[in-house]
Amino acid sequence: MRNVVEGAILEQSRRLSAAPNASAALDELIPGDFKFEKSEPFDLEQAMSGIVGLESVKEFVRTQYKMLIANEKRRKAGIQVDTTQTLNMIFTGNPGTGKTTVARLIASMFKEMGVLKSGHLVETDRGGLVAGYVGQTAIKTTEKVMEALDGVLFIDEAYALADNGAGYGKEAIDTLVKLIEDYRGEIAVILAGYKKEMADFLKTNSGLQSRFPLQIDFPDYNADELYQIALNMIGAKGYHITEEAKEGLREQIEWLHKTATAHSGNGRMVRKLVEKILRNQSVRVALHDVSPSELTTIQPGDLESGDAPRPSVKRCISWRKSSNISRSVIGCSFSAVGLFLHWGLRLS
């Protein structure tokens, strides 16, 4: 409450200094000084609408949401039942499968439903918990937990804490287990990592299994989902992509999806591709005179990449019509010649 009043006083000072000649009481606070925000009901489906795929994960979140609603109904009805439950979870899956995004969603949900006071998300990994000197790891881990108190602590690649006695990871695990119990209900801890490695990690401390009973697996994205994620990223950055470029984008993503590994695929792969496309687009508009609308338009030639497959003959024709970059035409010419030579050799 003190912070609220102090904030209102500061806002009043700003208001009076901005209008020094206005007739206003120096000792009066008005409603506008408190900067109260209008509270709107939490809409889970709306919050999840921007998340592509992950249907099994979404269903898990829906179940958690319904449990919170049921508990609130019992409370309002004056029914006394034991509704305490652990808030800690384990997210398993390959990198780039949306684990951090869902963790942020869950943090918001817990805040809006009154489970956690602030609902902020603190992201960390082994480096944020483990120190290089004896006795310092417990302090470092405690500080990170205190930072996430009343919110969610998201520990990525948590299995790295299991260092088989070669470092101070065990001290971090032991400290974390104790703090989770000490601050039960005041913090949610989410451990994330590869499925097999996380299964082995849980065996390193007998208290981990009981404190992390909720486990959800994040599947890899398919090519269609990756394509939709790419379009969402492009649109979110304020760019428009032509229909011809969309076809080329889909081809690139399908090829990258087939050649990706567990470490290089999924959302991170798409983000890397989109960033490269936007760099190509910036180079093009910097070197050529374009209309204002084209400053944020992605054309087929912007999709060129040394890591991407050579375009088909059909795509080359489209690119030549829509792109002013000479190297696009040259690259397409070599692709067409190679294709004709290939079929020519087969026919002979």
Side-chain angles (χ1 to χ4, degrees):
M1 178 61 71
R2 184 178 64 183
N3 292 338
V4 174
V5 174
E6 290 177 351
I9 294 174
L10 179 60
E11 187 61 33
Q12 183 224 36
S13 300
R14 293 171 178 167
R15 173 171 56 84
L16 295 178
S17 61
N21 298 325
S23 57
L26 298 178
D27 59 350
E28 179 183 16
L29 296 175
I30 64 175
D33 296 330
F34 289 91
K35 294 294 182 180
F36 289 129
E37 296 181 0
K38 185 179 180 181
S39 178
E40 297 183 0
F42 179 69
D43 188 337
L44 178 62
E45 295 303 323
Q46 177 63 31
M48 293 195 300
S49 63
I51 299 177
V52 177
L54 301 180
E55 293 306 320
S56 60
V57 177
K58 291 178 181 178
E59 194 56 38
F60 167 82
V61 176
R62 289 188 184 100
T63 299
Q64 295 298 113
Y65 183 56
K66 291 172 184 176
M67 290 179 63
L68 296 176
I69 292 177
N71 290 340
E72 180 64 14
K73 287 183 176 181
R74 296 187 189 101
R75 187 190 67 79
K76 289 182 177 180
I79 300 175
Q80 299 296 326
V81 295
D82 184 6
T83 58
T84 57
Q85 59 173 314
T86 179
L87 304 177
N88 308 313
M89 310 173 192
I90 293 178
F91 288 176
T92 60
N94 293 324
T97 48
K99 294 187 290 293
T100 305
T101 300
V102 174
R104 191 172 291 110
L105 169 65
I106 288 176
S108 298
M109 180 178 72
F110 281 165
K111 175 189 176 183
E112 297 300 329
M113 298 301 292
V115 178
L116 296 173
K117 291 181 181 179
S118 64
H120 63 293
L121 181 73
V122 175
E123 299 179 52
T124 190
D125 53 16
R126 176 188 167 89
L129 303 174
V130 179
Y133 303 94
V134 176
Q136 295 298 310
T137 291
I139 297 175
K140 194 171 184 179
T141 300
T142 300
E143 289 175 347
K144 188 60 66 173
V145 171
M146 292 301 101
E147 181 184 348
L149 205 62
D150 294 327
V152 174
L153 177 62
F154 182 83
I155 305 176
D156 198 15
E157 297 182 348
Y159 54 83
L161 293 172
D163 47 26
N164 299 318
Y168 303 108
K170 184 179 184 303
E171 185 180 358
I173 296 172
D174 295 341
T175 304
L176 184 64
V177 168
K178 182 181 183 301
L179 291 173
I180 287 174
E181 192 61 33
D182 292 345
Y183 294 97
R184 182 182 178 89
E186 298 180 63
I187 186 174
V189 179
I190 298 178
L191 307 180
Y194 296 107
K195 190 170 186 177
K196 180 183 181 302
E197 283 79 353
M198 290 304 297
D200 294 336
F201 170 70
L202 291 178
K203 301 174 184 177
T204 61
N205 185 294
S206 58
L208 286 174
Q209 289 278 5
S210 60
R211 287 166 177 79
F212 291 89
L214 302 176
Q215 181 169 326
I216 181 67
D217 186 52
F218 285 65
D220 290 338
Y221 292 109
N222 59 40
D224 289 337
E225 291 169 341
L226 292 174
Y227 172 67
Q228 187 58 52
I229 290 173
L231 293 180
N232 291 351
M233 287 183 179
I234 291 171
K237 291 180 179 294
Y239 289 83
H240 167 73
I241 181 169
T242 66
E243 292 301 318
E244 294 83 0
K246 284 182 180 180
E247 295 181 24
L249 177 64
R250 179 180 285 277
E251 285 186 0
Q252 284 199 8
I253 288 178
E254 288 176 351
W255 183 82
L256 290 172
H257 178 255
K258 291 178 181 178
T259 59
T261 65
H263 302 279
S264 65
N266 293 300
R268 295 183 182 181
M269 176 190 73
V270 172
R271 186 179 299 107
K272 182 180 178 181
L273 174 62
V274 169
E275 289 174 352
K276 183 175 292 187
I277 291 172
L278 296 184
R279 286 196 297 270
N280 291 343
Q281 195 267 0
S282 295
V283 170
R284 176 174 60 82
V285 300
L287 297 177
H288 298 84
D289 292 330
V290 297
S291 65
S293 64
E294 289 183 286
L295 291 173
T296 55
T297 298
I298 295 174
Q299 296 183 357
D302 301 328
L303 272 60
E304 285 192 5
S305 169
D307 300 327
R310 291 187 181 277
S312 63
V313 175
K314 178 181 178 181
R315 188 76 61 245
C316 286
I317 296 173
S318 174
W319 286 21
R320 185 167 184 174
K321 290 179 179 178
S322 59
S323 176
N324 293 322
I325 304 179
S326 58
R327 60 186 179 138
S328 298
V329 179
I330 295 174
C332 288
S333 299
F334 278 115
S335 297
V337 171
L339 186 62
F340 289 134
L341 287 176
H342 169 74
W343 282 106
L345 291 173
R346 291 192 62 179
L347 289 173
S348 63

